Amino acid sequence: MPSYEQLGDLLDPASTVLLTVECQQGVVGPDGALPELAREARSSGALRNVARLVAAAHEAGVQVIHAVAERRPDGRGASRNARLFRAAERLPVRQLTGSAAVRVAPPIEVGAEDLVVRRLHGLSPVHGTDVDALLRNLGCRTLIVTGVSANVAVPNAVFDAVNLGYTAVVPSDAVAGVPADYTAAVIRHTLALVATVATTDEVLRCLKQACGRS
């Protein structure tokens, strides 16, 4: 884990953005398309920790971006070049544009100044979406990555952020995947090589201190 001072240096509210990845009702909600992932996101406390981070970001003046995956009812423009995409077409809950499934899931509260970025294709919430342009326009230098899943979308987001020149921070207990021990392994053996790994409480303390300085 980073020292408190090192993490605090990274989390300047003026140049930090908090990204939530696929924290939508159709993914992590109680009636989501992937029940095992939804259960893990909730039982592990990851979804609650994402909500805590979002609330703290709002208080500290840190911009929040919610990355949502969805598809048109006719599937136009959707990717089909991987087993994951084809399997998603057969799931009982589909992430259809405009449906409840693509709304950000409780207990996360979407603020009036939050940005919601929706994608119709691919695996990454960053590459091929508006996220990079938004981050640059916001003056972002540090991207806090939270959400699901540690199997695919979260590593994609971290790698893309690093390749684009941002410093990535991953709150290890605000990320979920399946099985649970895989999440811990991918954070320790992969994400920790390219991102600053911390806990939710450590990030919250830094954001609270930033509020005190402002």
Side-chain angles (χ1 to χ4, degrees), residues 65-116:
I65 297 179
H66 304 281
V68 174
E70 60 181 48
R71 61 183 290 121
R72 289 167 49 107
D74 61 8
R76 189 175 297 273
S79 303
R80 299 197 74 256
N81 58 333
R83 290 175 57 194
L84 178 64
F85 301 131
R86 296 190 293 274
E89 294 176 352
R90 301 191 295 271
L91 291 173
V93 178
R94 302 173 69 199
Q95 315 301 318
L96 298 181
T97 301
S99 70
V102 298
R103 296 175 190 159
V104 175
I108 300 169
E109 295 188 2
V110 180
E113 296 185 351
D114 292 4
L115 299 171
V116 180

Side-chain angles (χ1 to χ4, degrees), residues 21-107:
V21 178
E22 295 182 26
C23 292
Q24 56 201 79
Q25 293 187 31
V27 176
V28 296
D31 299 316
L34 303 168
E36 185 181 2
L37 177 59
R39 283 194 299 270
E40 178 60 25
R42 292 175 174 276
S43 65
S44 68
L47 189 61
R48 179 176 63 87
N49 284 331
V50 175
R52 294 171 65 207
L53 288 164
V54 168
H58 291 158
E59 185 175 351
V62 170
Q63 179 67 53
V64 179
I65 297 179
H66 304 281
V68 174
E70 60 181 48
R71 61 183 290 121
R72 289 167 49 107
D74 61 8
R76 189 175 297 273
S79 303
R80 299 197 74 256
N81 58 333
R83 290 175 57 194
L84 178 64
F85 301 131
R86 296 190 293 274
E89 294 176 352
R90 301 191 295 271
L91 291 173
V93 178
R94 302 173 69 199
Q95 315 301 318
L96 298 181
T97 301
S99 70
V102 298
R103 296 175 190 159
V104 175

Side-chain angles (χ1 to χ4, degrees), residues 1-4 7-8 10-13 16 18 45-62 64 144 146 169-174 196-213:
M1 295 294 179
S3 72
Y4 181 72
L7 187 61
L10 292 178
L11 298 180
D12 177 0
T16 298
L18 173 65
L47 189 61
R48 179 176 63 87
N49 284 331
V50 175
R52 294 171 65 207
L53 288 164
V54 168
H58 291 158
E59 185 175 351
V62 170
V64 179
I144 306 172
T146 66
V169 171
V170 178
S172 57
D173 52 355
T196 297
V197 176
T199 66
T200 293
D201 285 343
E202 287 172 337
V203 173
L204 291 175
R205 284 198 295 270
C206 289
L207 294 181
K208 184 176 181 180
Q209 184 183 57
C211 285
R213 290 197 302 262

Side-chain angles (χ1 to χ4, degrees), residues 151-201:
N151 303 77
V152 178
V154 168
N156 258 250
V158 172
F159 290 141
D160 286 345
V162 172
N163 284 331
L164 290 166
Y166 304 104
T167 296
V169 171
V170 178
S172 57
D173 52 355
V175 169
V178 289
D181 57 357
Y182 177 77
T183 300
V186 78
I187 289 173
R188 179 179 179 181
H189 298 294
T190 301
L191 298 186
L193 301 178
V194 296
T196 297
V197 176
T199 66
T200 293
D201 285 343

